[in-house]
Amino acid sequence: TTSMPPGFKQIILGLGCFWGAERLFWKLPGIFLTAVGYSGGLTANPTYEETCSGQTGHTEVVLLVYDPKKLTLDKILSIFWQAHDPTQGFRQGNDRGTQYRSAIFVMDDADFDMVQESANSYQKALAKNGFGQITTEIRKNQQFYFAEDHHQQYLYKVPSGYCGLQGTGVCVD
């Protein structure tokens, strides 16, 4: 975890390649900090190469620290669900491997319950449009490990860099 202003919250999201995921959120009003890293696995302080090997169990994630008075969890989740395909298991588009799985890691029970409700609601919308089951991993209190410096805000530094992030086209009701 990172220190944050009083009253602020954090959430860790995995939706494929972390470069595009971070860019999706960094300009939103109410975002205090974004960082890319690894979470949901077994190994402490994994490197990019270790994570990509599939041996650590981590997924590429973006950490959001936000002011819930300016940005609601519902808004964050709406962007999350619509920005990627949460039914693809260990891949997003051409990016394949456990490090590209969909994940939401929260810090408390209230957020966990809201995420579960949100997933159930979006599952109904996906099913109506012919998509399968959501495979998003939803857990509490997962350790976040910062990715190497050159990955942080990568698409700001390299605006034409690769981003394979694509949604399903199904809107959140």
Side-chain angles (χ1 to χ4, degrees):
T1 55
T2 185
S3 68
M4 55 187 173
F8 281 40
K9 298 191 79 163
Q10 65 181 20
I11 190 167
I12 299 168
L13 302 173
L15 53 155
C17 175
F18 53 18
W19 296 341
E22 184 180 33
R23 179 174 62 187
L24 196 59
F25 293 101
W26 71 37
K27 289 186 180 174
L28 290 179
I31 289 289
F32 175 72
L33 171 132
T34 63
V36 295
Y38 317 108
S39 193
L42 306 169
T43 306
N45 298 307
T47 65
Y48 180 73
E49 288 74 21
E50 289 168 344
T51 300
C52 289
S53 76
Q55 300 301 302
T56 69
H58 288 289
T59 188
E60 290 189 16
V61 293
V62 59
L63 168 70
L64 307 180
V65 176
Y66 66 99
D67 181 349
K69 293 182 180 103
K70 295 181 180 169
L71 180 62
T72 65
L73 180 55
D74 274 346
K75 175 70 173 168
I76 291 168
L77 293 172
S78 175
I79 293 166
F80 170 84
W81 293 123
Q82 293 176 98
H84 76 302
D85 183 345
T87 69
Q88 291 195 328
F90 294 147
R91 65 179 265 245
Q92 279 300 307
N94 292 327
D95 292 332
R96 295 173 187 273
T98 58
Q99 75 271 26
Y100 297 115
R101 72 184 183 275
S102 177
I104 303 173
F105 302 135
V106 297
M107 306 307 143
D108 61 46
D109 290 336
D111 285 358
F112 184 83
D113 292 344
M114 283 183 70
V115 168
Q116 292 283 39
E117 278 180 40
S118 177
N120 292 337
S121 175
Y122 195 55
Q123 180 63 65
K124 290 175 188 158
L126 286 169
K128 277 188 225 167
N129 287 278
F131 286 88
Q133 286 295 306
I134 287 175
T135 59
T136 304
E137 178 181 355
I138 301 169
R139 291 198 281 165
K140 285 189 301 193
N141 301 316
Q142 293 300 299
Q143 180 68 45
F144 174 85
Y145 299 100
F146 285 91
E148 297 80 353
D149 284 348
H150 65 277
H151 289 297
Q152 303 298 331
Q153 288 83 41
Y154 179 81
L155 291 177
Y156 177 79
K157 297 179 259 191
V158 184
S160 61
Y162 170 77
C163 175
L165 206 57
Q166 281 188 287
T168 61
V170 177
C171 292
V172 171
D173 289 339

